[in-house]
Amino acid sequence: MGHHEEDPHPAGYTPMVAPEQAELIRRWHERAYQAARAEGATEQTFTYLGRTVVVPPQVQPITGMSHLLGEAVLAEVRAGDRVLDMGTGSGVNAILAASTAKQVLAVDINPVAVEAARGNAERNGVADRVEVRLSDVFADVDGRFDLIVFDPPFRWFAPRDLLEAATTDENYRAMTSFFRQAREHLTPAGRMLIFFGSSGDLAYLRHLMDEQGFDVEVVARQELTKDGQSVSYYTFRLT
């Protein structure tokens, strides 16, 4: 019956959104998942912030809101930074960071994403600055970073396949683990850029940021309307 305050894999996540909002988010998620499945096994190519990014079907594509994080990365990164792109997906934010930083580590738990990110770093001429590694959160990450970038899955449902795992993190295991370990991977003056939206459990994200004592500012925000509901997307800067 021990007290596991430091357990990075909490079993008992309870949504902090109202039940009707949780149900709405589940509906949105299901619709997006079925649409992605219907598109089938097709690779997509995006031109985004001056880069060309090829995204296989099991990896999170560039969306209409991606620029809220991408532009923040370009504005934040400094030449001397050692950068970590957590959950890199297609490698896009690592590639943006590498336009300024000399050393970028990009990690993902999805082996398809790791291959895609390596190919995209090569395609965009930054393969010498970007190392891509398979890692479950910080499991295979060493050292400290001046800047950590994280675009976590917004949903807390159990994924049914690799495609769905790009957008859902069961019971927010990875996100919770990330925040509880992030400080030990930051330099004393380190900063983090986190992207999230109210189509996920935003209250839970705020709880994690507060729990770890981060100072939080909103550096980008955009709203859109989904099924008559307003959804807000944010890039947070944490110090």
Side-chain angles (χ1 to χ4, degrees), residues 210-221:
D210 290 348
E211 176 189 78
Q212 299 306 317
F214 283 105
D215 287 328
V216 181
E217 63 173 308
V218 174
V219 292
R221 177 181 179 170

Side-chain angles (χ1 to χ4, degrees), residues 62-82:
I62 308 287
T63 72
M65 295 293 155
S66 296
H67 69 96
L68 294 179
L69 180 57
E71 286 162 359
V73 170
L74 289 172
E76 180 66 39
V77 70
R78 299 168 195 154
D81 282 345
R82 183 178 189 228

Side-chain angles (χ1 to χ4, degrees), residues 2-205:
H3 177 54
H4 300 289
E5 193 175 46
E6 292 307 310
D7 180 12
H9 306 308
Y13 160 73
T14 306
M16 295 175 90
V17 292
E20 58 274 17
Q21 185 66 17
E23 191 46 51
L24 187 62
I25 290 169
R26 195 174 279 281
R27 257 202 328 272
W28 288 340
H29 175 79
E30 189 59 30
R31 200 164 66 199
Y33 170 66
Q34 295 302 343
R37 282 196 65 179
E39 282 173 13
T42 52
E43 205 170 64
Q44 297 182 76
T45 300
F46 298 89
T47 302
Y48 169 75
L49 298 177
R51 279 80 181 169
T52 300
V53 180
V54 176
V55 185
Q58 301 92 337
V59 175
Q60 178 69 2
I62 308 287
T63 72
M65 295 293 155
S66 296
H67 69 96
L68 294 179
L69 180 57
E71 286 162 359
V73 170
L74 289 172
E76 180 66 39
V77 70
R78 299 168 195 154
D81 282 345
R82 183 178 189 228
V83 182
L84 172 64
D85 184 22
M86 176 64 69
T88 192
S90 66
V92 62
N93 291 304
I95 290 161
L96 293 173
S99 61
T100 302
K102 302 283 187 291
Q103 194 184 4
V104 182
L105 175 62
V107 300
D108 205 291
I109 196 172
N110 175 353
V112 180
V114 169
E115 281 310 304
R118 280 190 188 130
N120 284 322
E122 192 77 51
R123 190 172 282 111
N124 289 278
V126 293
D128 58 326
R129 295 166 174 239
V130 177
E131 182 194 345
V132 189
R133 205 182 281 176
L134 193 68
S135 181
D136 182 357
V137 197
F138 290 108
D140 290 295
V141 171
D142 45 331
R144 290 178 181 265
F145 300 85
D146 305 293
L147 176 62
I148 298 177
V149 180
F150 190 24
D151 179 3
F154 287 7
R155 321 284 193 233
W156 61 91
F157 318 133
R160 287 161 281 192
D161 52 30
L162 202 54
L163 169 69
E164 195 173 18
T167 56
T168 187
D169 166 20
E170 188 174 2
N171 290 325
Y172 287 133
R173 180 197 65 84
M175 190 164 80
T176 305
S177 184
F178 171 85
F179 276 101
R180 291 185 178 163
Q181 297 175 66
R183 274 210 190 277
E184 57 205 64
H185 292 280
L186 279 171
T187 57
R191 324 71 88 201
M192 301 205 299
L193 291 173
I194 310 290
F195 181 68
F196 209 72
S198 62
S199 59
D201 192 341
L202 189 56
Y204 184 67
L205 172 73

